Amino acid sequence: TCSLIIETSRYRCGSGTVFRRSMENDCTDCHTKSIKSDVLETVVWNYVLSLLSDPIRFEAEWHKAQEAEQDALAPKRERLETIGELIKHCEKEADETAAALKKAKGLVLAKLQADMDSIDARYTKLTAERDRLLAELRTASRLDDEALTRALQFRADMIEGLVKPTFDDKRLYLE
């Protein structure tokens, strides 16, 4: 996606002045026209105002966003399940190897100890990935029902100031 540059009275794509090429941003030759800031801001403001003025629509849009957020997190949840199964497999393998170590001698003992080191390394890597995914999933879900309750209260508190806001109020609300 292209970055947005705000000029004094227009919004435009930032790739026109800065050459960018990467896997994430391939808009090196963007031909998108600039948009007058007052036109775009009016459209955005009217959308925000209409959304916030209708609590039923606000909640419906929230639930759509909540569903999209959950869909975006699905691959991480699936990977977490896979990691859980791999961790269980490592633990089972470690138990079997530990039992075999008690009886082993010589070359077999050395081989089992090497296997145990390999299992330990896989286990450490898997638990680190599991912990990272759990942390990401905990912090990624921002649109839960508690947040909806706070947003509906915020909407109710703000609705009075939305009818005839100052320019600075609009900026604040949009931010």
Side-chain angles (χ1 to χ4, degrees), residues 74-141:
K76 287 184 181 186
R77 279 196 206 88
E78 290 169 8
R79 178 64 182 159
L80 189 58
E81 285 181 38
T82 301
I83 296 282
E85 293 300 316
L86 291 171
I87 287 173
K88 286 179 189 174
H89 180 72
C90 272
E91 290 169 345
K92 181 181 176 195
E93 204 176 343
D95 289 341
E96 292 168 355
T97 305
L101 274 170
K102 291 178 183 177
K103 302 173 189 172
K105 295 180 183 167
L107 182 61
V108 173
L109 178 62
K111 174 64 174 139
L112 286 172
Q113 286 173 331
D115 287 348
M116 197 61 150
D117 291 342
S118 172
I119 293 167
D120 282 342
R122 275 187 288 136
Y123 183 81
T124 299
K125 184 177 177 184
L126 289 168
T127 55
E129 185 176 359
R130 177 200 60 201
D131 295 346
R132 180 186 56 79
L133 285 169
L134 285 170
E136 287 176 13
L137 287 169
R138 264 194 307 274
T139 59
S141 184

Side-chain angles (χ1 to χ4, degrees), residues 36-56:
K36 286 185 175 184
S37 59
D38 60 335
V39 172
L40 181 59
E41 289 168 2
T42 300
V43 169
V44 171
W45 181 252
N46 288 337
Y47 172 78
V48 169
L49 184 59
S50 70
L51 183 63
L52 291 176
S53 297
D54 183 351
I56 294 170

Side-chain angles (χ1 to χ4, degrees), residues 127-160:
T127 55
E129 185 176 359
R130 177 200 60 201
D131 295 346
R132 180 186 56 79
L133 285 169
L134 285 170
E136 287 176 13
L137 287 169
R138 264 194 307 274
T139 59
S141 184
R142 298 169 295 153
L143 300 174
D144 59 12
D145 291 337
E146 185 179 315
L148 172 59
T149 302
R150 287 191 313 270
L152 286 169
Q153 184 59 50
F154 176 76
R155 185 206 69 77
D157 293 343
M158 285 187 53
I159 202 68
E160 292 297 319

